[in-house]
Amino acid sequence: MKARGIPEQFLRWINAFCSGCTVTILVNGHTSESRSLPQAGLPQGSPLSPILFLFFNADLVQRRIDCYGGAVALVDDFTAWVTGPTAQSNREGIEAIIRDAQDWEGRSGATFEADKTAIIHFARKPYKDDSEPFVIKGRTVQPKDHVKILGVIMGTKLKYKEHIARAATKGLEAVMELRRLKGLSPATARQLFTATVAPVLDYASNVWMHEYRYKAAAPINRVQKIGAQAIVGTFMTVATSVAEAEAHLATTQDRFWRMAIKMWTDIHTLPVTNPLRSSTARIRKFRRYHRSPFYQVADLLKDIPMEKLETIQPYALAP
């Protein structure tokens, strides 16, 4: 923290907060003697924990995000990537990421689990792929066909069939639990569907909504239909669209686009230095290669003046 310019008084306060801790145990009215904790760290649940963790792994995560690669992290989940014309050309960059991670591991005292480390090559054409393994902490790691990144199952061709099937399975489990509840009013059942079933189906839909069509849509439509039956008790033979209308449920496409529009709006509230914010100006330049979900949202909302969004201050203004 000192190397990153944090003032000395804050460093002394944090040092005092993390040191000199003692512990006692109370069981059935009996209190043990007080003992010191040499490496107590922060109290569990302290709001300071996520802030200090950003400083802890900053040397690992902080790198430039551009067309050549980048890195992101959420708590202890670290993901880094490089881009190139083929998987073979990316090998040197991947090995550099592995070396940097192992060097940081030695400096910080953290530990990477080699069996939880996954490598994947995203390539639409088979001849650009590569199955040659990597060595991480003395263990051979083969490139995988699918990996889970922050809860999203991503395949080598970015078709998201596995993730959509998994979302439908988890959604079916949730909606069957809802269906078992008897005697609920339609308003209560609808609220439970919105709170417990829809979030399972819609998780990260901004990423995979462009692949939600044809056969992939059938399992999720089944969840929608069962949810409508749980709300208003329609017949099994009723079409999904009719059941949704009777139960006053938004269609999956409506929910997906609502979330996409919110994402697009939130991105435009970010600082101009944020990589996501700066990418909105040049996203349409790459439409010839791959029409990503990000591009589809940008193309649909191109006529909305996002630069004129109202700024609402998070505090009360003076009269």
Side-chain angles (χ1 to χ4, degrees), residues 258-308:
R258 193 180 305 141
M259 294 179 63
I261 293 172
K262 183 181 183 302
M263 175 202 69
W264 186 247
T265 305
D266 291 343
I267 287 175
H268 281 79
T269 64
L270 296 172
V272 293
T273 54
N274 189 287
L276 280 177
R277 178 67 180 88
S278 59
S279 66
T280 58
R282 63 176 185 272
I283 185 174
R284 292 171 59 81
K285 297 179 181 179
F286 305 101
R287 62 184 181 274
R288 293 178 298 173
Y289 303 103
H290 173 55
R291 292 174 58 91
S292 68
F294 203 33
Y295 169 83
Q296 295 180 30
V297 174
D299 188 56
L300 184 69
L301 305 178
K302 61 180 181 295
D303 296 328
I304 299 178
M306 287 293 179
E307 292 73 17
K308 298 181 180 180

Side-chain angles (χ1 to χ4, degrees), residues 58-66 69-72 78-82 93 96-98 100-101 275:
D59 290 339
L60 174 67
V61 180
Q62 192 170 17
R63 62 183 70 193
R64 183 179 180 84
I65 298 178
D66 52 25
V72 293
F78 172 67
T79 303
W81 66 92
V82 294
I97 292 174
I98 295 173
D100 292 343

Side-chain angles (χ1 to χ4, degrees), residues 44-112:
Q44 184 175 3
S46 171
L48 195 60
S49 296
I51 299 174
L52 294 184
F53 193 81
L54 295 177
F55 287 94
F56 174 73
N57 67 354
D59 290 339
L60 174 67
V61 180
Q62 192 170 17
R63 62 183 70 193
R64 183 179 180 84
I65 298 178
D66 52 25
C67 60
Y68 303 106
V72 293
L74 178 64
V75 193
D76 60 346
D77 196 323
F78 172 67
T79 303
W81 66 92
V82 294
T83 63
T86 63
Q88 293 84 352
S89 64
N90 289 337
R91 188 171 188 85
E92 183 177 349
I94 297 174
E95 291 176 343
I97 292 174
I98 295 173
R99 289 194 300 269
D100 292 343
Q102 291 177 340
D103 291 342
W104 178 82
E105 179 185 31
R107 297 193 311 269
S108 66
T111 302
F112 281 106

